[in-house]
Amino acid sequence: MLNLLKATLSAACLIALAGLYGPPAVAAESESASTAPASEDPNYAAGKRAIAASDWNAAQAALGKAVASDPGNANAQNLLAYAYRKLGSLDMAFKHYNEALRLDPKHLGAHEYIGEAYLMAGNPAKAEEHLAALDRLCFFGCEEYRTLKKAVADYKQKSGAK
């Protein structure tokens, strides 16, 4: 009986660790499970493909259509903001990141990406606010937290900030 209990606990630990150290998120996968669409909009799917191909103009066009047809989709808002950020349009990026976070305040990808946008805008204090939010949301840490933490550290090192 004791061996069965040990085996069960070992298996449970391995499953938990697999969840903690699974594959890292990529831009098109930084989605909130709570706002994932039941059936994926073709424009949203095209936008994700364009992001995977680093075609920011095509991503912006497709995701703009996806957001127009479903403005309540936090994932589409987040990825549209990501495309705008990659195009250098920070005002539009902030608009859509903030909308994604209004729709889903626990959206890990939006917190990471808006933090990176704040670093691009030269505002590390705001980036650190989103890093703190990720720290609260990711009880055991998450890829979004680690990525933004590294970006903040790199920014500080390059700028000489403490």
Side-chain angles (χ1 to χ4, degrees):
M1 184 65 158
L2 186 56
N3 286 338
L4 178 61
L5 180 59
K6 284 181 184 178
T8 303
L9 287 174
S10 294
C13 287
L14 288 173
I15 291 168
L17 287 174
L20 289 176
Y21 298 104
V26 296
E29 293 174 353
S30 285
E31 299 177 343
S32 170
S34 65
T35 58
S39 63
E40 194 167 74
D41 175 299
N43 289 310
Y44 180 73
K48 287 190 342 183
R49 285 192 303 275
I51 284 176
S54 299
D55 186 347
W56 311 122
N57 287 311
Q60 182 273 319
L63 291 163
K65 291 175 186 173
V67 164
S69 67
D70 184 8
N73 184 333
N75 291 331
Q77 294 281 354
N78 178 51
L79 291 182
L80 177 57
Y82 181 83
Y84 275 123
R85 178 167 60 97
K86 291 297 191 172
L87 288 168
S89 182
L90 291 181
D91 288 342
M92 291 301 289
F94 284 122
K95 174 186 172 188
H96 290 283
Y97 284 134
N98 283 317
E99 182 61 10
L101 289 169
R102 186 191 69 76
L103 293 166
D104 182 0
K106 296 179 181 181
H107 197 294
L108 303 180
H111 279 292
E112 175 195 342
Y113 295 155
I114 196 171
E116 291 171 0
Y118 278 121
L119 293 175
M120 288 176 69
N123 192 342
K126 289 296 283 183
E128 287 180 323
E129 287 178 20
H130 289 278
L131 182 62
L134 284 169
D135 192 30
R136 287 187 303 274
L137 293 169
C138 303
F139 187 70
F140 289 111
C142 58
E143 187 65 25
E144 292 84 356
Y145 173 81
R146 289 186 291 276
T147 301
L148 183 55
K149 184 175 181 177
K150 182 180 182 330
V152 168
D154 290 348
Y155 177 90
K156 287 181 175 182
Q157 182 181 17
K158 288 177 186 170
S159 69
K162 293 181 182 179

